[in-house]
PDB file of all heavy atoms in Angstrom:
ATOM      1  N   ALA A 364      -4.437   8.458   5.595  1.00  0.00           N
ATOM      2  CA  ALA A 364      -3.977   9.735   5.066  1.00  0.00           C
ATOM      3  C   ALA A 364      -5.040  10.367   4.169  1.00  0.00           C
ATOM      4  O   ALA A 364      -5.262  11.579   4.200  1.00  0.00           O
ATOM      5  CB  ALA A 364      -2.673   9.549   4.287  1.00  0.00           C
ATOM      6  N   ILE A 367      -7.708  11.864   6.379  1.00  0.00           N
ATOM      7  CA  ILE A 367      -7.264  13.112   7.004  1.00  0.00           C
ATOM      8  C   ILE A 367      -7.203  14.232   5.966  1.00  0.00           C
ATOM      9  O   ILE A 367      -7.584  15.374   6.241  1.00  0.00           O
ATOM     10  CB  ILE A 367      -5.894  12.919   7.677  1.00  0.00           C
ATOM     11  CG1 ILE A 367      -6.008  11.912   8.822  1.00  0.00           C
ATOM     12  CG2 ILE A 367      -5.353  14.248   8.209  1.00  0.00           C
ATOM     13  CD1 ILE A 367      -4.681  11.511   9.424  1.00  0.00           C
ATOM     14  N   TRP A 368      -6.709  13.904   4.749  1.00  0.00           N
ATOM     15  CA  TRP A 368      -6.633  14.909   3.692  1.00  0.00           C
ATOM     16  C   TRP A 368      -8.027  15.456   3.374  1.00  0.00           C
ATOM     17  O   TRP A 368      -8.199  16.667   3.180  1.00  0.00           O
ATOM     18  CB  TRP A 368      -5.997  14.326   2.436  1.00  0.00           C
ATOM     19  CG  TRP A 368      -6.066  15.277   1.271  1.00  0.00           C
ATOM     20  CD1 TRP A 368      -6.956  15.266   0.247  1.00  0.00           C
ATOM     21  CD2 TRP A 368      -5.217  16.408   1.048  1.00  0.00           C
ATOM     22  NE1 TRP A 368      -6.718  16.319  -0.600  1.00  0.00           N
ATOM     23  CE2 TRP A 368      -5.665  17.030  -0.140  1.00  0.00           C
ATOM     24  CE3 TRP A 368      -4.129  16.936   1.736  1.00  0.00           C
ATOM     25  CZ2 TRP A 368      -5.050  18.174  -0.650  1.00  0.00           C
ATOM     26  CZ3 TRP A 368      -3.519  18.075   1.223  1.00  0.00           C
ATOM     27  CH2 TRP A 368      -3.980  18.686   0.049  1.00  0.00           C
ATOM     28  N   LYS A 369      -9.005  14.598   3.323  1.00  0.00           N
ATOM     29  CA  LYS A 369     -10.366  15.020   3.027  1.00  0.00           C
ATOM     30  C   LYS A 369     -10.885  15.992   4.078  1.00  0.00           C
ATOM     31  O   LYS A 369     -11.659  16.913   3.771  1.00  0.00           O
ATOM     32  CB  LYS A 369     -11.279  13.792   2.940  1.00  0.00           C
ATOM     33  CG  LYS A 369     -12.688  14.098   2.468  1.00  0.00           C
ATOM     34  CD  LYS A 369     -13.492  12.815   2.303  1.00  0.00           C
ATOM     35  CE  LYS A 369     -14.897  13.123   1.789  1.00  0.00           C
ATOM     36  NZ  LYS A 369     -15.698  11.870   1.612  1.00  0.00           N
ATOM     37  N   GLU A 370     -10.433  15.804   5.312  1.00  0.00           N
ATOM     38  CA  GLU A 370     -10.860  16.681   6.405  1.00  0.00           C
ATOM     39  C   GLU A 370     -10.082  17.995   6.420  1.00  0.00           C
ATOM     40  O   GLU A 370     -10.645  19.058   6.698  1.00  0.00           O
ATOM     41  CB  GLU A 370     -10.686  15.964   7.743  1.00  0.00           C
ATOM     42  CG  GLU A 370     -11.565  14.734   7.910  1.00  0.00           C
ATOM     43  CD  GLU A 370     -11.212  13.936   9.148  1.00  0.00           C
ATOM     44  OE1 GLU A 370     -10.178  14.262   9.793  1.00  0.00           O
ATOM     45  OE2 GLU A 370     -11.941  12.980   9.469  1.00  0.00           O
ATOM     46  N   GLU A 371      -8.778  17.909   6.118  1.00  0.00           N
ATOM     47  CA  GLU A 371      -7.905  19.072   6.272  1.00  0.00           C
ATOM     48  C   GLU A 371      -7.829  19.963   5.032  1.00  0.00           C
ATOM     49  O   GLU A 371      -7.596  21.171   5.158  1.00  0.00           O
ATOM     50  CB  GLU A 371      -6.489  18.611   6.639  1.00  0.00           C
ATOM     51  CG  GLU A 371      -6.389  17.939   7.996  1.00  0.00           C
ATOM     52  CD  GLU A 371      -6.784  18.878   9.126  1.00  0.00           C
ATOM     53  OE1 GLU A 371      -6.460  20.079   9.029  1.00  0.00           O
ATOM     54  OE2 GLU A 371      -7.424  18.415  10.086  1.00  0.00           O
ATOM     55  N   SER A 372      -7.991  19.396   3.849  1.00  0.00           N
ATOM     56  CA  SER A 372      -7.791  20.201   2.637  1.00  0.00           C
ATOM     57  C   SER A 372      -8.763  21.373   2.500  1.00  0.00           C
ATOM     58  O   SER A 372      -8.339  22.470   2.097  1.00  0.00           O
ATOM     59  CB  SER A 372      -7.841  19.312   1.391  1.00  0.00           C
ATOM     60  OG  SER A 372      -9.065  18.632   1.284  1.00  0.00           O
ATOM     61  N   PRO A 373     -10.058  21.228   2.830  1.00  0.00           N
ATOM     62  CA  PRO A 373     -10.925  22.414   2.733  1.00  0.00           C
ATOM     63  C   PRO A 373     -10.466  23.552   3.631  1.00  0.00           C
ATOM     64  O   PRO A 373     -10.532  24.730   3.240  1.00  0.00           O
ATOM     65  CB  PRO A 373     -12.300  21.875   3.170  1.00  0.00           C
ATOM     66  CG  PRO A 373     -12.240  20.406   2.898  1.00  0.00           C
ATOM     67  CD  PRO A 373     -10.823  20.019   3.192  1.00  0.00           C
ATOM     68  N   LYS A 374      -9.988  23.209   4.827  1.00  0.00           N
ATOM     69  CA  LYS A 374      -9.491  24.243   5.745  1.00  0.00           C
ATOM     70  C   LYS A 374      -8.217  24.875   5.202  1.00  0.00           C
ATOM     71  O   LYS A 374      -7.987  26.079   5.378  1.00  0.00           O
ATOM     72  CB  LYS A 374      -9.233  23.622   7.122  1.00  0.00           C
ATOM     73  CG  LYS A 374     -10.505  23.175   7.823  1.00  0.00           C
ATOM     74  CD  LYS A 374     -10.243  22.657   9.222  1.00  0.00           C
ATOM     75  CE  LYS A 374      -9.653  21.272   9.200  1.00  0.00           C
ATOM     76  NZ  LYS A 374      -9.516  20.692  10.562  1.00  0.00           N
ATOM     77  N   ALA A 375      -7.387  24.072   4.533  1.00  0.00           N
ATOM     78  CA  ALA A 375      -6.147  24.596   3.958  1.00  0.00           C
ATOM     79  C   ALA A 375      -6.449  25.563   2.813  1.00  0.00           C
ATOM     80  O   ALA A 375      -5.794  26.604   2.674  1.00  0.00           O
ATOM     81  CB  ALA A 375      -5.273  23.446   3.462  1.00  0.00           C
ATOM     82  N   TYR A 376      -7.426  25.215   1.985  1.00  0.00           N
ATOM     83  CA  TYR A 376      -7.811  26.110   0.888  1.00  0.00           C
ATOM     84  C   TYR A 376      -8.326  27.440   1.438  1.00  0.00           C
ATOM     85  O   TYR A 376      -8.003  28.527   0.919  1.00  0.00           O
ATOM     86  CB  TYR A 376      -8.890  25.464   0.018  1.00  0.00           C
ATOM     87  CG  TYR A 376      -8.339  24.588  -1.082  1.00  0.00           C
ATOM     88  CD1 TYR A 376      -8.303  23.203  -0.945  1.00  0.00           C
ATOM     89  CD2 TYR A 376      -7.874  25.151  -2.262  1.00  0.00           C
ATOM     90  CE1 TYR A 376      -7.803  22.391  -1.967  1.00  0.00           C
ATOM     91  CE2 TYR A 376      -7.375  24.348  -3.287  1.00  0.00           C
ATOM     92  CZ  TYR A 376      -7.346  22.975  -3.133  1.00  0.00           C
ATOM     93  OH  TYR A 376      -6.844  22.184  -4.155  1.00  0.00           O
ATOM     94  N   GLU A 377      -9.138  27.352   2.476  1.00  0.00           N
ATOM     95  CA  GLU A 377      -9.679  28.573   3.082  1.00  0.00           C
ATOM     96  C   GLU A 377      -8.555  29.423   3.673  1.00  0.00           C
ATOM     97  O   GLU A 377      -8.537  30.653   3.524  1.00  0.00           O
ATOM     98  CB  GLU A 377     -10.700  28.221   4.163  1.00  0.00           C
ATOM     99  CG  GLU A 377     -11.355  29.447   4.798  1.00  0.00           C
ATOM    100  CD  GLU A 377     -12.413  29.080   5.827  1.00  0.00           C
ATOM    101  OE1 GLU A 377     -12.577  27.874   6.108  1.00  0.00           O
ATOM    102  OE2 GLU A 377     -13.065  29.998   6.353  1.00  0.00           O
ATOM    103  N   PHE A 378      -7.616  28.779   4.330  1.00  0.00           N
ATOM    104  CA  PHE A 378      -6.479  29.492   4.907  1.00  0.00           C
ATOM    105  C   PHE A 378      -5.655  30.155   3.808  1.00  0.00           C
ATOM    106  O   PHE A 378      -5.249  31.325   3.937  1.00  0.00           O
ATOM    107  CB  PHE A 378      -5.612  28.509   5.704  1.00  0.00           C
ATOM    108  CG  PHE A 378      -4.436  29.133   6.393  1.00  0.00           C
ATOM    109  CD1 PHE A 378      -4.601  30.153   7.307  1.00  0.00           C
ATOM    110  CD2 PHE A 378      -3.143  28.682   6.121  1.00  0.00           C
ATOM    111  CE1 PHE A 378      -3.498  30.738   7.945  1.00  0.00           C
ATOM    112  CE2 PHE A 378      -2.048  29.249   6.749  1.00  0.00           C
ATOM    113  CZ  PHE A 378      -2.228  30.274   7.668  1.00  0.00           C
ATOM    114  N   ARG A 379      -5.422  29.438   2.720  1.00  0.00           N
ATOM    115  CA  ARG A 379      -4.676  30.013   1.592  1.00  0.00           C
ATOM    116  C   ARG A 379      -5.390  31.243   1.038  1.00  0.00           C
ATOM    117  O   ARG A 379      -4.763  32.280   0.773  1.00  0.00           O
ATOM    118  CB  ARG A 379      -4.515  28.944   0.508  1.00  0.00           C
ATOM    119  CG  ARG A 379      -3.617  29.316  -0.692  1.00  0.00           C
ATOM    120  CD  ARG A 379      -4.350  30.074  -1.799  1.00  0.00           C
ATOM    121  NE  ARG A 379      -5.577  29.464  -2.238  1.00  0.00           N
ATOM    122  CZ  ARG A 379      -5.668  28.606  -3.251  1.00  0.00           C
ATOM    123  NH1 ARG A 379      -4.580  28.263  -3.931  1.00  0.00           N
ATOM    124  NH2 ARG A 379      -6.862  28.119  -3.611  1.00  0.00           N
ATOM    125  N   ASP A 409      -4.704  20.669  -5.866  1.00  0.00           N
ATOM    126  CA  ASP A 409      -4.144  20.480  -4.527  1.00  0.00           C
ATOM    127  C   ASP A 409      -2.657  20.822  -4.464  1.00  0.00           C
ATOM    128  O   ASP A 409      -2.205  21.494  -3.532  1.00  0.00           O
ATOM    129  CB  ASP A 409      -4.352  19.030  -4.080  1.00  0.00           C
ATOM    130  CG  ASP A 409      -5.823  18.680  -3.930  1.00  0.00           C
ATOM    131  OD1 ASP A 409      -6.636  19.592  -3.706  1.00  0.00           O
ATOM    132  OD2 ASP A 409      -6.152  17.483  -4.035  1.00  0.00           O
ATOM    133  N   ALA A 410      -1.900  20.350  -5.439  1.00  0.00           N
ATOM    134  CA  ALA A 410      -0.463  20.616  -5.431  1.00  0.00           C
ATOM    135  C   ALA A 410      -0.192  22.111  -5.534  1.00  0.00           C
ATOM    136  O   ALA A 410       0.729  22.647  -4.900  1.00  0.00           O
ATOM    137  CB  ALA A 410       0.221  19.867  -6.575  1.00  0.00           C
ATOM    138  N   ASP A 411      -0.992  22.797  -6.341  1.00  0.00           N
ATOM    139  CA  ASP A 411      -0.835  24.248  -6.500  1.00  0.00           C
ATOM    140  C   ASP A 411      -1.135  24.957  -5.186  1.00  0.00           C
ATOM    141  O   ASP A 411      -0.426  25.891  -4.800  1.00  0.00           O
ATOM    142  CB  ASP A 411      -1.768  24.749  -7.603  1.00  0.00           C
ATOM    143  CG  ASP A 411      -1.643  26.248  -7.809  1.00  0.00           C
ATOM    144  OD1 ASP A 411      -0.628  26.678  -8.404  1.00  0.00           O
ATOM    145  OD2 ASP A 411      -2.535  26.995  -7.369  1.00  0.00           O
ATOM    146  N   MET A 412      -2.179  24.531  -4.492  1.00  0.00           N
ATOM    147  CA  MET A 412      -2.518  25.147  -3.209  1.00  0.00           C
ATOM    148  C   MET A 412      -1.390  24.988  -2.198  1.00  0.00           C
ATOM    149  O   MET A 412      -1.045  25.920  -1.465  1.00  0.00           O
ATOM    150  CB  MET A 412      -3.812  24.524  -2.668  1.00  0.00           C
ATOM    151  CG  MET A 412      -4.251  25.054  -1.300  1.00  0.00           C
ATOM    152  SD  MET A 412      -3.558  24.101   0.090  1.00  0.00           S
ATOM    153  CE  MET A 412      -4.461  22.564  -0.061  1.00  0.00           C
ATOM    154  N   ILE A 413      -0.795  23.804  -2.175  1.00  0.00           N
ATOM    155  CA  ILE A 413       0.310  23.544  -1.242  1.00  0.00           C
ATOM    156  C   ILE A 413       1.507  24.442  -1.568  1.00  0.00           C
ATOM    157  O   ILE A 413       2.139  25.005  -0.666  1.00  0.00           O
ATOM    158  CB  ILE A 413       0.709  22.055  -1.297  1.00  0.00           C
ATOM    159  CG1 ILE A 413      -0.418  21.194  -0.706  1.00  0.00           C
ATOM    160  CG2 ILE A 413       2.014  21.811  -0.547  1.00  0.00           C
ATOM    161  CD1 ILE A 413      -0.225  19.708  -0.906  1.00  0.00           C
ATOM    162  N   GLN A 414       1.807  24.570  -2.843  1.00  0.00           N
ATOM    163  CA  GLN A 414       2.909  25.451  -3.250  1.00  0.00           C
ATOM    164  C   GLN A 414       2.574  26.904  -2.945  1.00  0.00           C
ATOM    165  O   GLN A 414       3.446  27.687  -2.553  1.00  0.00           O
ATOM    166  CB  GLN A 414       3.200  25.282  -4.740  1.00  0.00           C
ATOM    167  CG  GLN A 414       4.405  26.082  -5.234  1.00  0.00           C
ATOM    168  CD  GLN A 414       5.689  25.705  -4.518  1.00  0.00           C
ATOM    169  OE1 GLN A 414       6.017  24.524  -4.422  1.00  0.00           O
ATOM    170  NE2 GLN A 414       6.418  26.695  -4.009  1.00  0.00           N
ATOM    171  N   ASP A 415       1.308  27.281  -3.109  1.00  0.00           N
ATOM    172  CA  ASP A 415       0.889  28.657  -2.812  1.00  0.00           C
ATOM    173  C   ASP A 415       1.209  29.028  -1.375  1.00  0.00           C
ATOM    174  O   ASP A 415       1.661  30.143  -1.093  1.00  0.00           O
ATOM    175  CB  ASP A 415      -0.621  28.811  -3.045  1.00  0.00           C
ATOM    176  CG  ASP A 415      -0.990  28.825  -4.519  1.00  0.00           C
ATOM    177  OD1 ASP A 415      -0.067  28.901  -5.356  1.00  0.00           O
ATOM    178  OD2 ASP A 415      -2.197  28.743  -4.826  1.00  0.00           O
ATOM    179  N   LEU A 416       0.961  28.110  -0.454  1.00  0.00           N
ATOM    180  CA  LEU A 416       1.222  28.392   0.956  1.00  0.00           C
ATOM    181  C   LEU A 416       2.696  28.723   1.194  1.00  0.00           C
ATOM    182  O   LEU A 416       3.024  29.655   1.938  1.00  0.00           O
ATOM    183  CB  LEU A 416       0.804  27.202   1.816  1.00  0.00           C
ATOM    184  CG  LEU A 416      -0.702  26.939   1.925  1.00  0.00           C
ATOM    185  CD1 LEU A 416      -0.965  25.632   2.663  1.00  0.00           C
ATOM    186  CD2 LEU A 416      -1.397  28.102   2.639  1.00  0.00           C
ATOM    187  N   MET A 417       3.574  27.958   0.552  1.00  0.00           N
ATOM    188  CA  MET A 417       5.000  28.226   0.710  1.00  0.00           C
ATOM    189  C   MET A 417       5.376  29.540   0.043  1.00  0.00           C
ATOM    190  O   MET A 417       6.149  30.336   0.600  1.00  0.00           O
ATOM    191  CB  MET A 417       5.807  27.076   0.125  1.00  0.00           C
ATOM    192  CG  MET A 417       7.317  27.196   0.360  1.00  0.00           C
ATOM    193  SD  MET A 417       7.753  27.246   2.131  1.00  0.00           S
ATOM    194  CE  MET A 417       7.403  25.539   2.597  1.00  0.00           C
ATOM    195  N   ILE A 442       3.100  29.586   9.922  1.00  0.00           N
ATOM    196  CA  ILE A 442       2.069  28.542   9.847  1.00  0.00           C
ATOM    197  C   ILE A 442       1.881  28.092   8.402  1.00  0.00           C
ATOM    198  O   ILE A 442       1.733  26.895   8.123  1.00  0.00           O
ATOM    199  CB  ILE A 442       0.737  29.063  10.426  1.00  0.00           C
ATOM    200  CG1 ILE A 442       0.889  29.335  11.926  1.00  0.00           C
ATOM    201  CG2 ILE A 442      -0.383  28.056  10.175  1.00  0.00           C
ATOM    202  CD1 ILE A 442      -0.324  30.000  12.554  1.00  0.00           C
ATOM    203  N   ALA A 443       1.907  29.048   7.482  1.00  0.00           N
ATOM    204  CA  ALA A 443       1.741  28.721   6.062  1.00  0.00           C
ATOM    205  C   ALA A 443       2.850  27.788   5.588  1.00  0.00           C
ATOM    206  O   ALA A 443       2.600  26.810   4.868  1.00  0.00           O
ATOM    207  CB  ALA A 443       1.728  29.998   5.231  1.00  0.00           C
ATOM    208  N   ALA A 444       4.087  28.076   5.971  1.00  0.00           N
ATOM    209  CA  ALA A 444       5.215  27.236   5.563  1.00  0.00           C
ATOM    210  C   ALA A 444       5.102  25.839   6.170  1.00  0.00           C
ATOM    211  O   ALA A 444       5.353  24.828   5.506  1.00  0.00           O
ATOM    212  CB  ALA A 444       6.529  27.894   5.976  1.00  0.00           C
ATOM    213  N   GLN A 445       4.719  25.790   7.448  1.00  0.00           N
ATOM    214  CA  GLN A 445       4.574  24.499   8.116  1.00  0.00           C
ATOM    215  C   GLN A 445       3.450  23.673   7.487  1.00  0.00           C
ATOM    216  O   GLN A 445       3.600  22.460   7.267  1.00  0.00           O
ATOM    217  CB  GLN A 445       4.290  24.725   9.608  1.00  0.00           C
ATOM    218  CG  GLN A 445       5.465  25.329  10.362  1.00  0.00           C
ATOM    219  CD  GLN A 445       5.077  25.865  11.732  1.00  0.00           C
ATOM    220  OE1 GLN A 445       3.930  25.753  12.159  1.00  0.00           O
ATOM    221  NE2 GLN A 445       6.034  26.472  12.430  1.00  0.00           N
ATOM    222  N   LYS A 446       2.342  24.341   7.174  1.00  0.00           N
ATOM    223  CA  LYS A 446       1.223  23.642   6.535  1.00  0.00           C
ATOM    224  C   LYS A 446       1.614  23.125   5.157  1.00  0.00           C
ATOM    225  O   LYS A 446       1.220  22.031   4.755  1.00  0.00           O
ATOM    226  CB  LYS A 446       0.007  24.567   6.425  1.00  0.00           C
ATOM    227  CG  LYS A 446      -0.815  24.693   7.689  1.00  0.00           C
ATOM    228  CD  LYS A 446      -2.052  25.522   7.452  1.00  0.00           C
ATOM    229  CE  LYS A 446      -2.933  25.547   8.679  1.00  0.00           C
ATOM    230  NZ  LYS A 446      -3.526  24.223   8.969  1.00  0.00           N
ATOM    231  N   SER A 447       2.393  23.900   4.434  1.00  0.00           N
ATOM    232  CA  SER A 447       2.826  23.476   3.111  1.00  0.00           C
ATOM    233  C   SER A 447       3.619  22.181   3.191  1.00  0.00           C
ATOM    234  O   SER A 447       3.385  21.241   2.423  1.00  0.00           O
ATOM    235  CB  SER A 447       3.673  24.573   2.458  1.00  0.00           C
ATOM    236  OG  SER A 447       4.100  24.182   1.170  1.00  0.00           O
ATOM    237  N   ASP A 448       4.522  22.102   4.135  1.00  0.00           N
ATOM    238  CA  ASP A 448       5.343  20.897   4.297  1.00  0.00           C
ATOM    239  C   ASP A 448       4.495  19.701   4.724  1.00  0.00           C
ATOM    240  O   ASP A 448       4.596  18.599   4.157  1.00  0.00           O
ATOM    241  CB  ASP A 448       6.446  21.137   5.331  1.00  0.00           C
ATOM    242  CG  ASP A 448       7.550  22.045   4.799  1.00  0.00           C
ATOM    243  OD1 ASP A 448       7.692  22.137   3.566  1.00  0.00           O
ATOM    244  OD2 ASP A 448       8.266  22.659   5.609  1.00  0.00           O
ATOM    245  N   SER A 449       3.666  19.894   5.738  1.00  0.00           N
ATOM    246  CA  SER A 449       2.877  18.777   6.271  1.00  0.00           C
ATOM    247  C   SER A 449       1.826  18.308   5.274  1.00  0.00           C
ATOM    248  O   SER A 449       1.584  17.102   5.137  1.00  0.00           O
ATOM    249  CB  SER A 449       2.224  19.170   7.594  1.00  0.00           C
ATOM    250  OG  SER A 449       1.329  20.257   7.416  1.00  0.00           O
ATOM    251  N   LEU A 450       1.218  19.254   4.564  1.00  0.00           N
ATOM    252  CA  LEU A 450       0.197  18.876   3.582  1.00  0.00           C
ATOM    253  C   LEU A 450       0.806  18.165   2.381  1.00  0.00           C
ATOM    254  O   LEU A 450       0.179  17.278   1.796  1.00  0.00           O
ATOM    255  CB  LEU A 450      -0.569  20.112   3.128  1.00  0.00           C
ATOM    256  CG  LEU A 450      -1.534  20.726   4.153  1.00  0.00           C
ATOM    257  CD1 LEU A 450      -2.048  22.075   3.662  1.00  0.00           C
ATOM    258  CD2 LEU A 450      -2.706  19.787   4.434  1.00  0.00           C
ATOM    259  N   ALA A 451       2.019  18.549   2.001  1.00  0.00           N
ATOM    260  CA  ALA A 451       2.688  17.881   0.886  1.00  0.00           C
ATOM    261  C   ALA A 451       2.927  16.409   1.217  1.00  0.00           C
ATOM    262  O   ALA A 451       2.703  15.522   0.380  1.00  0.00           O
ATOM    263  CB  ALA A 451       4.008  18.579   0.574  1.00  0.00           C
ATOM    264  N   GLU A 452       3.367  16.151   2.435  1.00  0.00           N
ATOM    265  CA  GLU A 452       3.599  14.765   2.859  1.00  0.00           C
ATOM    266  C   GLU A 452       2.286  13.999   2.951  1.00  0.00           C
ATOM    267  O   GLU A 452       2.189  12.839   2.524  1.00  0.00           O
ATOM    268  CB  GLU A 452       4.302  14.754   4.214  1.00  0.00           C
ATOM    269  CG  GLU A 452       4.624  13.368   4.729  1.00  0.00           C
ATOM    270  CD  GLU A 452       5.363  13.386   6.054  1.00  0.00           C
ATOM    271  OE1 GLU A 452       5.720  14.487   6.527  1.00  0.00           O
ATOM    272  OE2 GLU A 452       5.582  12.296   6.617  1.00  0.00           O
ATOM    273  N   LEU A 453       1.260  14.657   3.492  1.00  0.00           N
ATOM    274  CA  LEU A 453      -0.049  14.014   3.633  1.00  0.00           C
ATOM    275  C   LEU A 453      -0.644  13.672   2.272  1.00  0.00           C
ATOM    276  O   LEU A 453      -1.173  12.570   2.070  1.00  0.00           O
ATOM    277  CB  LEU A 453      -0.988  14.941   4.400  1.00  0.00           C
ATOM    278  CG  LEU A 453      -2.401  14.419   4.670  1.00  0.00           C
ATOM    279  CD1 LEU A 453      -2.354  13.156   5.523  1.00  0.00           C
ATOM    280  CD2 LEU A 453      -3.239  15.497   5.342  1.00  0.00           C
ATOM    281  N   LEU A 454      -0.541  14.605   1.330  1.00  0.00           N
ATOM    282  CA  LEU A 454      -1.102  14.364  -0.004  1.00  0.00           C
ATOM    283  C   LEU A 454      -0.371  13.223  -0.711  1.00  0.00           C
ATOM    284  O   LEU A 454      -0.993  12.416  -1.408  1.00  0.00           O
ATOM    285  CB  LEU A 454      -1.019  15.643  -0.846  1.00  0.00           C
ATOM    286  CG  LEU A 454      -1.582  15.545  -2.261  1.00  0.00           C
ATOM    287  CD1 LEU A 454      -3.053  15.162  -2.238  1.00  0.00           C
ATOM    288  CD2 LEU A 454      -1.385  16.860  -3.006  1.00  0.00           C
ATOM    289  N   ALA A 455       0.937  13.163  -0.532  1.00  0.00           N
ATOM    290  CA  ALA A 455       1.710  12.088  -1.153  1.00  0.00           C
ATOM    291  C   ALA A 455       1.237  10.730  -0.639  1.00  0.00           C
ATOM    292  O   ALA A 455       1.092   9.773  -1.408  1.00  0.00           O
ATOM    293  CB  ALA A 455       3.201  12.274  -0.866  1.00  0.00           C
ATOM    294  N   LYS A 456       0.970  10.630   0.655  1.00  0.00           N
ATOM    295  CA  LYS A 456       0.474   9.374   1.224  1.00  0.00           C
ATOM    296  C   LYS A 456      -0.948   9.093   0.758  1.00  0.00           C
ATOM    297  O   LYS A 456      -1.286   7.968   0.427  1.00  0.00           O
ATOM    298  CB  LYS A 456       0.510   9.442   2.756  1.00  0.00           C
ATOM    299  CG  LYS A 456       1.907   9.433   3.345  1.00  0.00           C
ATOM    300  CD  LYS A 456       1.847   9.471   4.867  1.00  0.00           C
ATOM    301  CE  LYS A 456       3.241   9.437   5.474  1.00  0.00           C
ATOM    302  NZ  LYS A 456       3.203   9.509   6.957  1.00  0.00           N
ATOM    303  N   ALA A 457      -1.772  10.146   0.733  1.00  0.00           N
ATOM    304  CA  ALA A 457      -3.163   9.967   0.334  1.00  0.00           C
ATOM    305  C   ALA A 457      -3.279   9.528  -1.114  1.00  0.00           C
ATOM    306  O   ALA A 457      -4.128   8.710  -1.463  1.00  0.00           O
ATOM    307  CB  ALA A 457      -3.942  11.264   0.554  1.00  0.00           C
ATOM    308  N   ASN A 458      -2.443  10.048  -1.960  1.00  0.00           N
ATOM    309  CA  ASN A 458      -2.491   9.686  -3.374  1.00  0.00           C
ATOM    310  C   ASN A 458      -2.170   8.215  -3.587  1.00  0.00           C
ATOM    311  O   ASN A 458      -2.556   7.633  -4.606  1.00  0.00           O
ATOM    312  CB  ASN A 458      -1.506  10.532  -4.189  1.00  0.00           C
ATOM    313  CG  ASN A 458      -2.066  11.910  -4.491  1.00  0.00           C
ATOM    314  OD1 ASN A 458      -3.256  12.130  -4.411  1.00  0.00           O
ATOM    315  ND2 ASN A 458      -1.199  12.840  -4.829  1.00  0.00           N
TER     316      ASN A 458
END
Side-chain angles (χ1 to χ4, degrees):
I367 296 172
W368 173 261
K369 187 175 182 180
E370 296 171 352
E371 295 298 323
S372 59
K374 293 184 284 186
Y376 273 100
E377 183 177 5
F378 182 58
R379 187 274 310 268
D409 296 335
D411 180 75
M412 178 270 290
I413 292 171
Q414 184 59 50
D415 287 350
L416 290 173
M417 185 60 71
I442 294 173
Q445 293 166 2
K446 279 185 175 292
S447 180
D448 287 338
S449 62
L450 288 170
E452 182 178 355
L453 181 61
L454 181 59
K456 290 181 179 179
N458 280 341

